[in-house]
Amino acid sequence: MPNRKASRNAYYFFVQEKIPELRRRGLPVARVADAIPYCSADWAKPVFTPLRRPGMLVPKQNVSPPDMSTLSLKGDQALLGGIFYFLNIFSHGELPPHCEQRFLPCEIGCVKYSLQEGIMADFHSFINPGEIPRGFRFHCQAASDSSHKIPISNFERGHNQATVLQNLYRFIHPNPGNWPPIYCKSDDRTRVNWCLKHMAKASEIRQDLQLLTVEDLVVGIYQQKFLKEPSKTWIRSLLDVAMWDYSSNTRCKWHEENDILFCALAVCKKIAYCISNSLATLFGIQLTEAHVPLQDYEASNSVTPKMVVLDAGRYQKLRVGSSGFSHFNSADQEQRSNTPIGDYPSRAKTSGQNSSVRGRGITRLLESISNSSSNIHKFSNCDTSLSSYMSQKDGYKSFSSLS
Amino acid sequence: MERGVKNKQDFMDLSICTREKLAHVRDCKTGSSGIPVKLVTNLFNLDFPQDWQLYQYHVTYVPDLASRRLRIALLYSHSELSNKAKAFDGAILFLSQKLEEKVTELSSETQRGETIKMTITLKRELPSSSPVCIQVFNIIFRKILKKLSMYQIGRNFYNPSEPVEIPQHKLSLWPGFAISVSYFESKLLFSADVSYKVLRNETVLEFMTALCQRTGLSGFTQTCEKQLIGLIVLTRYNNRTYSIDDIDWSVKPTHTFQKRDGTEITYVDYYKQQYDITVSDLNQPMLVSLLKRKRNDNSEARLAHLIPELCFLTGLTDQATSNFQLMKAVAEKTRLPPSGRQQRLARLVDNIQRNTNARFELETWGLHFGSQISLTGRVVPSEKILMQDHICQPVSAADWSKDIRTCKILNAQSLNTWLILCSDRTEYVAESFLNCLRRVAGSMGFNVDYPKIIKVQENPAAFVRAVQQYVDPDVQLVMCILPSNQKTYYDSIKKYLSSDCPVPSQCVLARTLNKQGMMMSIATKIAMQMTCKIGGELWAVEIPLKSLMVVGIDVCKDALSKDVMVVGCVASVNPGITRWFSRCILQRTMTDVADCLKVFMTGALNKWYKYNHDLPARIIVYRAGVGDGQLKTLVEYEVPQLLSSVAGSSSNTSSRLSVIVVRKKCMPRFFTEMNRTVQNPPLGTVVDSEATRNEWYDFYLISQVACRGTVSPTYYNVIYDDNGLKPDHMQRLTFKLCHLYYNWPGIVSVPAPCQYAHKLTFLVAQSIHKEPSLELANHLFYL
């Protein structure tokens, strides 16, 4: 409970987060009380903090950069190397309480993650949900259609529940010893727990997994780092973002091919991305492709095939060299430097051309450029090389082949 | 069972007497301004003797009987009761005449020769004003409609013997009525509204055979399940509806099932015995329907097996609703003009009075069916539309787009930095549209600079990635020209741009821009939306009250997770009521009641204070999305929240508050009589007598036009009022607010804040599924 003490209001946390910055400025602040006079002005102006350009992957500004001096390095190291498993199991809807079978497990996703390494391995499988209780076909169909869209029957990718569970166990517990804790979002916990128990019943393997919530994990990491508890709203906003929805190498192959957002694997990977993006950066970790889907943004900074930026201002003679568009210019420059044939009009650079090149002609020219096979070829190569890099890196081929 | 519960909720509202607490309307809640207009209604007098009373008895059986049917049959067969007017549900008996004894003991013999003792005990004597009587009156009329050989489907009654056929689309419509009896002002009135049930002239078996011929046998079961499961069917042998929850391919009509008494019987024999129907196809599979469970009943789900041959499809599929010709044909039959409605009403009344059974039923209860109610309404003066340097009196308040074509809008931010995202195929239309947009925007005083045009591939991921890459803090607006109306495009773009990265966005379908002749009007509409999205104001009406804040609240269920309620709140932040503060809050409760109003109101009042350096003197809240039976919760739960936020925000003077419940669906309809026929009443017609309720401060307002069919009035119920505005002023203010919805250059059916709140909740419930960023709250980003 964040606000147990009356003194710990939003302003308290605000000031606390400001302290490292004030220290860097050389101000003598030891406690929150010392820092208050320096923070009042900042508090009064609206804080504008959302993550604007995902490509830049800036840490959220409402969390201050790490202050390594205040932390015991040893504790950090243990936290950074600690391995977590994020697990999710999808069901064909939820059946009413009077039914013995409450869920019909149909897809499972799990990732192995550490703050230091990012996603180390992933596991994914479709599950054969078994016979749908008579009379609930519509209910299940509707639930599936509104989310993951996995067919409720005759889906040849579905694996036997016992096999899936065995494979999951092998994934999270390859060697004898203690079982690691498993995490899922609190909203999903009932379902995942029920499904695990149900599958265990079917397979006669008994292993009670300890299922914890990601929210508590975030609280734990935050607490260990900053010795205080973050707000529930902050955690929710941290975990509930749409920006990775379409990232490549996030959904399972089937959901990617059918362009469906709801995928059990994607849920787990997105938890990893969110934690990397908001928490790992606080530990001063350099984000890699294993932390967040960087490759998307790198690839798109250097022109994805067929994405062309046009400046409609070329029609207009008057608006030459306007200064308001500086950020666009820089984007243009990036583009230009990365494009094989980069000489289409960009307002800042080639303003002289504007008067001479007008109308549709230029559009057609650009289309031919963007459609040129060499371009596409180049980038499709780039994609595959990246993904092969990924799969080599994770080193858990035996498991990725299971999915 | 469920029906009874539902009805009880309706009557629950009636016991909430809000008017007696409002001193200024306790004596008179009617206005006087405007031109009087004579109106005919769909309400009828129901007369009964002054000393009419209802007697409630309790009936017990020894030995006890479980079967309700048997209980009723035994009691009704008794000579003591046979010629009395009665209503009996198996335990409670209502009579209009008192029995001689307080406790009457009767005994009857069942077919099996068992003797059953029945004890009838008087419990209550109810005056005609009691809510229980209203319930009994409704039961009486349901009986009467059944006697006119109409069938109850849902809550309405339909007449299968006079179907309206639409042969070219294999449809038939059953005409019918929604009826109710209740007290309006001082009189007991019967109201009836025309309703239609759409049925398809196709049995499920015929549908299956046709499907099989089209697709072949391979994968037939799957396609069949895909197409049929979830549809509603009607079985004509008992005129009941069922939903198809499953198809059981292993069971055939020749298989047996266990009847409730434990005997086994085949389906074929059962239908022969019970309904005298011969099933012809003995190899058809069976449809499975999950029967509704009774309340608080934790037993196993009960399944009903239905024979496809006997099930008729009902309602319209998505495919059918997108068929323009079909919908037009249906609308032609169902959207009756006022004269058609009047004719049908007259026939219903005629039938009730001529049918001997129906008349007998009415007479034994001591009721008399009276005349149709006519009343006098008032037409409030039309409003002038204030533009930047021009005051315009529209030709019709229904649509003033032509009247304001040459005028400049009130206030527009210029649009300097913006993006257009389009695909290769749509680039040409994007450019011609852009030219058009700049032209029309210029003439309305909205400066639109050239955007940056980004071409992306035709898939949602490409659109989202382009948005992520090119949107930065300076971008004022993102326009996406969508290649198809696939929902994921819209949803993913809106989701990202409303919460992750709050920037106003405008999505347009490429198909819309391809309509050549319409380009100008489409561009005008989009330009108006864009202005609003970046903080512009289009027009205003004259608001005589200074320092008035109007608030609209609406609720809606989230489309993905059904246990999440989306509450949308919109408040005006300037005295001219042209700028708005909008916020949407998701709440995890099962009820339709908002419990986040204080948070919202505090935010809205802060915004008001910021712009006006004072608090509003008056606050009027319009609350839409209120269901039957929720009035009590509203009065006891939402109004205190609003009051506490008003009181808490200011120390010296507190703003005065009014809360008005807005309902678009209501029973009464009004027609004007003209040249011996009836027509829709004019815009701005107010009704605040006779068709209103005595215990409430309420009125009807007609603020929309129906080009086809009959206009429906909007019902307003003022449940809390500190402002003490005269009814006249309240009605006119409400009418003025109906002019301020910036997505339509004309009057709308509810006050603008309600419509905004509705639009916002709809966007969040359908596409975003989370709270939009507060950074967008100052603009109408959801238009």
Side-chain angles (χ1 to χ4, degrees):
Chain A
M1 292 296 109
N3 290 335
R4 214 176 309 157
K5 287 186 188 169
S7 62
R8 287 194 170 190
N9 55 12
Y11 185 57
Y12 173 88
F13 284 106
F14 176 78
V15 174
Q16 198 162 36
E17 281 167 11
K18 282 277 176 190
I19 289 179
E21 192 193 316
L22 296 173
R23 284 196 189 130
R24 232 173 301 126
R25 274 160 52 190
L27 296 164
V29 282
R31 302 176 301 126
V32 167
D34 300 337
I36 286 175
Y38 304 107
C39 296
S40 309
D42 284 343
W43 176 254
K45 70 186 173 201
V47 190
F48 186 70
T49 48
L51 204 52
R52 279 297 190 156
R53 288 207 55 178
M56 311 299 281
L57 295 166
V58 282
K60 292 201 172 180
Q61 285 153 32
N62 50 4
V63 181
S64 66
D67 181 11
M68 300 308 281
S69 62
T70 59
L71 284 154
S72 77
L73 222 63
K74 199 179 152 203
D76 253 17
Q77 225 48 52
L79 193 61
L80 288 177
I83 287 172
F84 314 111
Y85 287 88
F86 302 131
L87 172 71
N88 204 342
I89 303 176
F90 277 179
S91 157
H92 289 303
E94 180 178 352
L95 303 190
H98 63 84
C99 298
E100 199 187 317
Q101 178 151 21
R102 299 296 309 280
F103 299 96
L104 293 145
C106 59
E107 188 190 13
I108 185 167
C110 186
V111 299
K112 181 182 180 182
Y113 175 82
S114 79
L115 286 168
Q116 184 80 60
E117 301 283 320
I119 296 174
M120 300 160 80
D122 60 46
F123 168 76
H124 172 265
S125 185
F126 287 107
I127 308 169
N128 184 355
E131 195 63 29
I132 287 159
R134 179 65 69 211
F136 287 97
R137 187 170 283 272
F138 171 58
H139 183 89
C140 297
Q141 183 76 62
S144 166
D145 287 348
S146 70
S147 56
H148 48 68
K149 297 195 172 70
I150 298 170
I152 58 170
S153 55
N154 298 356
F155 185 53
E156 68 283 353
R157 288 161 194 263
H159 291 275
N160 168 313
Q161 301 195 351
T163 326
V164 172
L165 195 66
Q166 216 160 26
N167 291 339
L168 174 73
Y169 286 165
R170 225 184 300 154
F171 175 71
I172 55 181
H173 191 239
N175 305 312
N178 284 339
W179 283 71
I182 313 293
Y183 297 88
C184 72
K185 282 199 194 179
S186 58
D187 288 352
D188 303 331
R189 192 157 169 234
T190 324
R191 184 182 68 236
V192 175
N193 233 342
W194 193 95
C195 288
L196 280 175
K197 290 228 165 68
H198 178 75
M199 287 159 72
K201 227 183 282 167
S203 65
E204 288 161 9
I205 315 171
R206 292 223 63 87
Q207 177 58 57
D208 282 327
L209 285 180
Q210 197 190 356
L211 194 64
L212 307 168
T213 70
V214 176
E215 285 84 348
D216 290 341
L217 175 67
V218 174
V219 172
I221 296 176
Y222 194 91
Q223 233 165 4
Q224 194 160 343
K225 179 79 192 170
F226 299 104
L227 307 173
K228 65 190 176 201
E229 199 165 305
S231 79
K232 289 259 189 302
T233 332
W234 182 79
I235 297 173
R236 189 161 295 159
S237 70
L238 180 153
L239 290 172
D240 189 16
V241 293
M243 66 180 284
W244 319 106
D245 281 358
Y246 287 99
S247 302
S248 54
N249 194 26
T250 296
R251 290 174 278 180
C252 74
K253 198 158 162 264
W254 189 84
H255 276 118
E256 176 94 45
E257 275 167 7
N258 291 289
D259 200 6
I260 297 158
L261 285 185
F262 294 82
C263 167
L265 182 62
V267 173
C268 301
K269 285 197 174 177
K270 281 189 274 185
I271 294 174
Y273 298 160
C274 291
I275 291 182
S276 301
N277 194 30
S278 326
L279 287 177
T281 46
L282 298 183
F283 289 86
I285 289 166
Q286 187 69 42
L287 295 184
T288 64
E289 285 94 339
H291 286 99
V292 286
L294 276 179
Q295 66 273 24
D296 280 355
Y297 298 99
E298 277 162 8
S300 53
N301 279 345
S302 58
V303 181
T304 41
K306 279 196 161 182
M307 190 198 281
V308 177
V309 182
L310 295 174
D311 195 339
R314 68 180 181 277
Y315 296 112
Q316 207 181 24
K317 291 172 210 168
L318 294 172
R319 302 192 61 254
V320 167
S322 83
S323 56
F325 272 72
S326 56
H327 57 281
F328 281 167
N329 293 339
S330 69
D332 278 350
Q333 278 162 18
E334 265 173 49
Q335 290 251 309
R336 286 160 64 75
S337 59
N338 289 318
T339 333
I341 313 159
D343 72 348
Y344 51 83
S346 132
R347 194 184 309 138
K349 290 284 165 186
T350 52
S351 50
Q353 275 187 340
N354 284 355
S355 51
S356 55
V357 190
R358 297 167 57 105
R360 294 270 157 72
I362 186 72
T363 321
R364 263 181 242 123
L365 173 71
L366 285 171
E367 265 168 18
S368 66
I369 294 167
S370 60
N371 289 336
S372 69
S373 57
S374 65
N375 222 357
I376 291 167
H377 190 65
K378 182 184 165 195
F379 289 105
S380 55
N381 267 349
C382 167
D383 261 353
T384 49
S385 67
L386 270 173
S387 52
S388 65
Y389 168 66
M390 288 294 287
S391 59
Q392 274 162 19
K393 197 188 172 215
D394 62 33
Y396 276 83
K397 278 208 197 100
S398 54
F399 296 113
S400 50
S401 65
L402 289 171
S403 60
Chain B
M1 203 66 198
E2 228 166 48
R3 209 165 278 148
V5 171
K6 188 89 185 151
N7 275 329
K8 218 174 259 169
Q9 285 180 352
D10 293 1
F11 302 120
M12 236 166 67
D13 279 349
L14 291 175
S15 60
I16 312 298
C17 305
T18 44
R19 185 178 163 194
E20 61 187 19
K21 296 194 189 99
L22 310 174
H24 64 294
V25 289
R26 206 173 289 145
D27 299 325
C28 174
K29 63 169 178 182
T30 53
S32 54
S33 72
I35 306 155
V37 56
K38 262 276 193 240
L39 299 170
V40 187
T41 64
N42 60 342
L43 306 170
F44 297 85
N45 270 318
L46 211 52
D47 304 325
F48 50 85
Q50 281 262 299
D51 54 350
W52 195 90
Q53 270 198 323
L54 191 68
Y55 302 93
Q56 183 181 338
Y57 291 89
H58 188 76
V59 186
T60 51
Y61 292 80
V62 180
D64 199 21
L65 295 173
S67 160
R68 189 169 150 236
R69 201 176 285 180
L70 190 59
R71 278 167 168 248
I72 295 172
L74 284 177
L75 189 80
Y76 275 32
S77 65
H78 231 277
S79 56
E80 191 113 351
L81 292 162
S82 59
N83 53 3
K84 285 202 168 69
K86 58 196 168 287
F88 182 51
D89 70 349
I92 299 168
L93 173 72
F94 290 107
L95 296 174
S96 64
Q97 287 167 319
K98 204 172 178 177
L99 292 175
E100 277 171 24
E101 303 291 324
K102 205 174 167 212
V103 180
T104 314
E105 299 221 339
L106 302 169
S107 67
S108 281
E109 210 168 273
T110 61
Q111 284 174 332
R112 291 191 207 153
E114 224 178 330
T115 310
I116 309 281
K117 223 171 81 182
M118 296 174 283
T119 317
I120 307 172
T121 322
L122 180 67
K123 287 284 172 197
R124 284 199 285 183
E125 297 184 19
L126 299 157
S128 58
S129 58
S130 153
V132 180
C133 288
I134 304 285
Q135 231 168 323
V136 173
F137 288 136
N138 278 282
I139 294 168
I140 296 169
F141 269 91
R142 264 188 249 147
K143 275 188 176 174
I144 288 172
L145 262 70
K146 275 182 196 141
K147 290 200 163 120
L148 299 176
S149 49
M150 295 181 95
Y151 286 91
Q152 185 168 8
I153 301 174
R155 298 177 77 178
N156 300 343
F157 287 84
Y158 297 95
N159 192 349
S161 58
E162 297 171 16
V164 181
E165 301 287 346
I166 308 178
Q168 69 270 34
H169 298 295
K170 285 195 193 166
L171 291 176
S172 61
L173 308 172
W174 286 1
F177 293 95
I179 59 150
S180 83
V181 180
S182 59
Y183 277 101
F184 290 86
E185 286 308 328
S186 56
K187 279 185 283 185
L188 187 68
L189 301 180
F190 167 83
S191 58
D193 198 9
V194 178
S195 158
Y196 282 95
K197 186 88 196 162
V198 180
L199 297 165
R200 289 194 256 167
N201 287 339
E202 193 177 27
T203 66
V204 175
L205 186 64
E206 283 163 358
F207 180 88
M208 284 175 158
T209 328
L211 188 72
C212 188
Q213 276 163 3
R214 263 205 320 266
T215 62
L217 268 176
S218 67
F220 168 68
T221 53
Q222 275 154 281
T223 30
C224 196
E225 278 171 358
K226 195 154 202 154
Q227 302 241 351
L228 282 174
I229 284 177
L231 298 184
I232 307 279
V233 293
L234 184 125
T235 48
R236 295 213 177 158
Y237 49 80
N238 58 359
N239 282 315
R240 290 207 181 183
T241 52
Y242 302 89
S243 70
I244 308 179
D245 291 304
D246 206 342
I247 300 175
D248 198 335
W249 302 92
S250 60
V251 178
K252 303 267 174 280
T254 47
H255 291 192
T256 59
F257 70 100
Q258 201 172 39
K259 287 213 292 190
R260 213 174 286 171
D261 59 10
T263 54
E264 294 264 330
I265 189 168
T266 66
Y267 292 100
V268 180
D269 291 343
Y270 174 77
Y271 281 103
K272 187 75 201 163
Q273 277 177 20
Q274 193 80 13
Y275 301 106
D276 195 24
I277 297 171
T278 315
V279 178
S280 59
D281 186 338
L282 299 180
N283 275 320
Q284 53 190 323
M286 300 291 262
L287 307 179
V288 182
S289 179
L290 205 59
L291 295 181
K292 285 211 181 85
R293 292 177 319 122
K294 286 181 183 152
R295 274 165 179 269
N296 309 324
D297 182 8
N298 262 336
S299 59
E300 273 288 293
R302 288 203 303 131
L303 300 176
H305 281 81
L306 305 166
I307 295 185
E309 190 181 334
L310 308 177
C311 296
F312 285 82
L313 295 166
T314 66
L316 298 170
T317 56
D318 289 345
Q319 201 188 348
T321 45
S322 55
N323 179 343
F324 178 74
Q325 290 300 330
L326 185 150
M327 291 310 281
K328 198 179 157 199
V330 172
E332 259 167 26
K333 305 283 188 204
T334 55
R335 292 210 189 145
L336 287 180
S339 52
R341 241 165 235 272
Q342 180 68 336
Q343 270 171 20
R344 296 203 59 93
L345 285 177
R347 260 187 62 196
L348 175 72
V349 173
D350 211 44
N351 283 342
I352 292 176
Q353 282 169 337
R354 278 176 191 219
N355 184 304
T356 44
N357 284 333
R359 257 213 8 229
F360 178 74
E361 181 76 34
L362 267 181
E363 278 167 9
T364 49
W365 280 104
L367 297 172
H368 179 74
F369 205 86
S371 57
Q372 195 166 4
I373 300 276
S374 331
L375 48 82
T376 313
R378 289 170 292 112
V379 184
V380 298
S382 62
E383 291 297 326
K384 294 186 187 70
I385 304 301
L386 314 180
M387 305 297 288
Q388 198 184 74
D389 40 17
H390 193 83
I391 293 171
C392 127
Q393 179 74 59
V395 179
S396 159
D399 184 356
W400 57 73
S401 54
K402 291 208 177 77
D403 305 270
I404 60 165
R405 199 148 47 185
T406 52
C407 307
K408 288 213 178 336
I409 57 173
L410 275 185
N411 171 25
Q413 318 285 322
S414 76
L415 182 59
N416 302 320
T417 316
W418 62 298
L419 309 174
I420 290 186
L421 268 62
C422 60
S423 67
D424 270 344
R425 281 196 305 156
T426 56
E427 201 210 343
Y428 288 144
V429 294
E431 283 188 8
S432 61
F433 168 67
L434 178 62
N435 287 332
C436 199
L437 182 78
R438 281 173 47 87
R439 214 161 54 231
V440 296
S443 73
M444 66 172 75
F446 171 37
N447 176 38
V448 177
D449 262 347
Y450 282 107
K452 196 181 189 72
I453 299 179
I454 299 160
K455 286 207 287 170
V456 294
Q457 280 175 302
E458 287 192 5
N459 63 62
F463 271 84
V464 172
R465 260 183 225 164
V467 170
Q468 289 182 346
Q469 195 183 345
Y470 288 99
V471 174
D472 58 35
D474 293 331
V475 173
Q476 291 170 284
L477 184 126
V478 180
M479 175 181 273
C480 298
I481 295 173
L482 306 180
S484 81
N485 64 355
Q486 199 191 327
K487 200 165 169 283
T488 42
Y489 279 107
Y490 186 81
D491 288 2
S492 50
I493 291 167
K494 286 286 176 192
K495 195 172 174 190
Y496 184 75
L497 287 180
S498 312
S499 60
D500 285 27
C501 168
V503 173
S505 53
Q506 175 77 49
C507 291
V508 195
L509 278 180
R511 206 177 56 200
T512 316
L513 301 185
N514 276 323
K515 293 178 185 158
Q516 271 311 319
M518 313 260 293
M519 192 57 114
M520 284 303 260
S521 62
I522 289 167
T524 311
K525 215 169 167 263
I526 291 175
M528 283 183 175
Q529 285 189 1
M530 286 167 61
T531 333
C532 296
K533 284 180 182 183
I534 60 168
E537 297 146 55
L538 300 184
W539 59 76
V541 292
E542 200 201 337
I543 304 287
L545 295 172
K546 295 300 158 220
S547 189
L548 164 75
M549 173 195 259
V550 292
V551 179
I553 301 171
D554 201 354
V555 296
C556 176
K557 272 210 169 69
D558 189 272
L560 272 189
S561 35
K562 298 286 179 206
D563 57 339
V564 172
M565 284 291 306
V566 183
V567 183
C569 309
V570 177
S572 64
V573 291
N574 63 340
I577 315 192
T578 55
R579 288 209 306 270
W580 303 90
F581 171 75
S582 323
R583 187 166 177 188
C584 199
I585 297 167
L586 266 59
Q587 91 189 26
R588 278 180 187 279
T589 45
M590 303 299 273
T591 54
D592 298 350
V593 183
D595 47 298
C596 46
L597 297 181
K598 191 166 179 179
V599 177
F600 166 75
M601 280 307 289
T602 313
L605 287 169
N606 284 342
K607 272 273 148 41
W608 180 281
Y609 191 84
K610 197 177 135 200
Y611 293 125
N612 307 293
H613 312 292
D614 197 3
L615 286 169
R618 298 169 188 276
I619 300 174
I620 297 185
V621 178
Y622 289 91
R623 168 71 156 89
V626 181
D628 287 335
Q630 290 180 344
L631 210 56
K632 191 172 156 76
T633 355
L634 233 58
V635 171
E636 290 175 359
Y637 190 62
E638 286 193 7
V639 173
Q641 286 181 59
L642 293 167
L643 272 175
S644 73
S645 50
V646 170
S649 61
S650 64
S651 47
N652 39 9
T653 52
S654 116
S655 315
R656 278 175 288 176
L657 179 79
S658 301
V659 182
I660 304 170
V661 173
V662 182
R663 297 189 71 158
K664 270 167 74 161
K665 278 194 185 136
C666 56
M667 203 63 175
R669 301 274 190 149
F670 304 106
F671 322 117
T672 47
E673 246 173 320
M674 217 178 269
N675 311 329
R676 304 178 64 201
T677 168
V678 287
Q679 287 182 348
N680 278 321
L683 270 175
T685 303
V686 172
V687 174
D688 53 11
S689 60
E690 293 191 68
T692 50
R693 312 267 186 176
N694 186 40
E695 60 271 37
W696 294 338
Y697 171 19
D698 54 350
F699 60 93
Y700 298 87
L701 171 65
I702 287 166
S703 60
Q704 60 180 334
V705 281
C707 0
R708 191 191 289 138
T710 311
V711 68
S712 34
T714 310
Y715 180 61
Y716 297 88
N717 185 1
V718 186
I719 58 169
Y720 186 85
D721 191 5
D722 271 348
N723 279 304
L725 292 181
K726 281 189 205 160
D728 252 340
H729 294 163
M730 191 58 110
Q731 292 160 3
R732 283 201 60 187
L733 178 71
T734 306
F735 184 60
K736 280 170 188 284
L737 291 176
C738 294
H739 290 75
L740 291 175
Y741 184 57
Y742 287 162
N743 223 359
W744 173 247
I747 192 165
V748 290
S749 61
V750 293
C754 275
Q755 192 67 30
Y756 287 133
H758 170 74
K759 192 92 171 84
L760 175 62
T761 49
F762 187 78
L763 174 74
V764 172
Q766 290 293 320
S767 305
I768 305 180
H769 311 296
K770 58 198 252 196
E771 290 173 16
S773 167
L774 276 181
E775 279 167 53
L776 293 170
N778 292 331
H779 306 325
L780 298 169
F781 66 96
Y782 43 84
L783 279 191

